[in-house]
Amino acid sequence: MAPVKISYVVSFSSQDPKYPAENLLSEDGIQPWLGCPKDHRRQLSVELQLERASPIGYVDVGNYGCAFLQIEVGRSSWPRDQPYLTLVPTVTLMTPADSKLDQNRYGVRMFKEGKD
Protein backbone atom coordinates (compact mmCIF):
# COMPACT_ATOMS: atom_id res chain seq x y z
CA MET A 1 0.00 0.00 0.00
CA ALA A 2 1.46 3.34 -1.05
CA PRO A 3 1.95 6.02 1.61
CA VAL A 4 -0.76 8.66 1.85
CA LYS A 5 0.44 12.24 2.20
CA ILE A 6 -0.72 14.54 4.96
CA SER A 7 -2.41 17.50 3.23
CA TYR A 8 -2.40 19.98 6.08
CA VAL A 9 -2.44 20.54 9.83
CA VAL A 10 -6.03 21.13 10.95
CA SER A 11 -5.22 22.07 14.55
CA PHE A 12 -2.62 21.63 17.28
CA SER A 13 -2.44 22.21 21.02
CA SER A 14 0.97 23.91 21.14
CA GLN A 15 4.03 24.50 18.99
CA ASP A 16 7.52 25.85 19.27
CA PRO A 17 7.95 28.73 16.78
CA LYS A 18 11.22 27.10 15.64
CA TYR A 19 9.59 23.67 15.24
CA PRO A 20 5.97 24.23 14.12
CA ALA A 21 3.35 21.55 13.55
CA GLU A 22 3.70 22.14 9.79
CA ASN A 23 7.02 20.26 10.04
CA LEU A 24 4.88 17.10 10.08
CA LEU A 25 4.12 17.80 6.40
CA SER A 26 7.79 17.66 5.48
CA GLU A 27 8.65 15.00 2.91
CA ASP A 28 12.19 14.59 4.23
CA GLY A 29 11.09 14.26 7.87
CA ILE A 30 14.14 16.12 9.17
CA GLN A 31 12.46 18.75 11.36
CA PRO A 32 10.32 17.72 14.38
CA TRP A 33 7.14 19.28 15.73
CA LEU A 34 7.73 20.38 19.33
CA GLY A 35 5.53 22.00 21.94
CA CYS A 36 6.18 25.59 22.95
CA PRO A 37 8.96 25.71 25.59
CA LYS A 38 6.87 28.13 27.69
CA ASP A 39 3.85 25.77 27.59
CA HIS A 40 4.31 23.16 30.32
CA ARG A 41 1.26 21.01 29.60
CA ARG A 42 2.05 17.34 29.71
CA GLN A 43 0.00 16.38 26.67
CA LEU A 44 0.19 17.64 23.11
CA SER A 45 -2.18 16.88 20.28
CA VAL A 46 -2.31 17.52 16.56
CA GLU A 47 -5.11 16.94 14.06
CA LEU A 48 -3.98 16.15 10.52
CA GLN A 49 -5.92 15.91 7.26
CA LEU A 50 -4.85 13.20 4.81
CA GLU A 51 -4.93 13.93 1.08
CA ARG A 52 -7.77 11.42 0.60
CA ALA A 53 -9.84 8.89 2.53
CA SER A 54 -7.75 5.72 2.65
CA PRO A 55 -7.60 2.43 4.50
CA ILE A 56 -4.71 2.55 6.95
CA GLY A 57 -2.57 -0.57 6.96
CA TYR A 58 0.33 0.82 8.96
CA VAL A 59 1.67 4.04 10.46
CA ASP A 60 5.34 4.96 10.89
CA VAL A 61 6.00 7.44 13.70
CA GLY A 62 9.27 9.25 14.22
CA ASN A 63 9.79 10.03 17.90
CA TYR A 64 11.59 13.11 19.18
CA GLY A 65 11.26 12.92 22.96
CA CYS A 66 7.68 11.72 23.26
CA ALA A 67 7.04 9.25 26.07
CA PHE A 68 3.54 8.09 25.08
CA LEU A 69 1.58 8.05 21.83
CA GLN A 70 -2.04 7.43 20.90
CA ILE A 71 -3.45 7.66 17.37
CA GLU A 72 -7.13 8.24 16.71
CA VAL A 73 -8.84 8.46 13.32
CA GLY A 74 -12.05 9.82 11.89
CA ARG A 75 -13.60 11.25 8.77
CA SER A 76 -14.13 14.92 8.02
CA SER A 77 -17.68 14.00 6.94
CA TRP A 78 -18.60 12.77 10.44
CA PRO A 79 -20.73 14.96 12.71
CA ARG A 80 -18.61 17.15 15.04
CA ASP A 81 -19.88 15.30 18.13
CA GLN A 82 -18.90 11.84 16.84
CA PRO A 83 -15.75 10.69 18.68
CA TYR A 84 -12.69 9.48 16.84
CA LEU A 85 -11.85 5.77 16.75
CA THR A 86 -8.63 4.54 18.33
CA LEU A 87 -6.22 3.26 15.71
CA VAL A 88 -3.23 2.84 18.05
CA PRO A 89 -4.00 2.66 21.77
CA THR A 90 -1.65 4.47 24.11
CA VAL A 91 1.83 2.98 23.72
CA THR A 92 5.07 3.78 25.52
CA LEU A 93 7.84 5.18 23.34
CA MET A 94 10.20 6.00 26.23
CA THR A 95 10.48 4.39 29.63
CA PRO A 96 10.39 6.58 32.75
CA ALA A 97 14.10 5.84 33.24
CA ASP A 98 14.89 6.94 29.67
CA SER A 99 12.96 10.14 30.24
CA LYS A 100 14.72 10.95 33.53
CA LEU A 101 18.16 10.18 32.05
CA ASP A 102 17.34 12.00 28.79
CA GLN A 103 18.28 8.98 26.67
CA ASN A 104 16.64 7.03 23.82
CA ARG A 105 14.69 10.16 22.85
CA TYR A 106 14.81 9.53 19.11
CA GLY A 107 13.59 6.64 17.05
CA VAL A 108 10.99 5.34 14.62
CA ARG A 109 8.20 2.88 15.39
CA MET A 110 5.93 1.14 12.91
CA PHE A 111 2.43 0.25 13.96
CA LYS A 112 0.43 -2.16 11.83
CA GLU A 113 -2.71 -4.13 12.27
CA GLY A 114 -2.38 -6.74 15.00
CA LYS A 115 1.08 -5.55 16.05
CA ASP A 116 2.84 -2.54 17.57
Side-chain angles (χ1 to χ4, degrees):
M1 184 180 316
V4 178
K5 292 171 82 173
I6 300 169
S7 293
Y8 61 93
V9 175
V10 177
S11 65
F12 53 87
S13 60
S14 177
Q15 70 178 0
D16 183 325
K18 293 180 184 176
Y19 301 101
E22 283 75 21
N23 283 350
L24 297 171
L25 306 176
S26 174
E27 297 270 335
D28 57 22
I30 300 298
Q31 296 293 321
W33 160 55
L34 298 176
C36 180
K38 295 177 183 175
D39 182 355
H40 298 289
R41 71 180 89 193
R42 300 181 67 83
Q43 182 175 342
L44 299 175
S45 64
V46 64
E47 186 174 347
L48 306 169
Q49 176 76 43
L50 299 180
E51 67 182 350
R52 66 182 183 280
S54 304
I56 299 173
Y58 67 91
V59 177
D60 290 336
V61 176
N63 185 29
Y64 194 85
C66 176
F68 301 101
L69 171 75
Q70 179 173 325
I71 301 175
E72 298 178 332
V73 295
R75 295 184 66 109
S76 57
S77 61
W78 286 358
R80 298 287 274 163
D81 61 343
Q82 182 168 346
Y84 290 137
L85 302 174
T86 301
L87 181 67
V88 176
T90 303
V91 294
T92 302
L93 299 177
M94 291 175 59
T95 67
D98 286 342
S99 183
K100 287 178 185 174
L101 297 172
D102 197 27
Q103 63 186 21
N104 298 323
R105 296 179 49 87
Y106 319 109
V108 176
R109 288 272 306 266
M110 175 190 259
F111 301 94
K112 57 192 248 180
E113 192 173 358
K115 296 181 180 183
D116 66 344

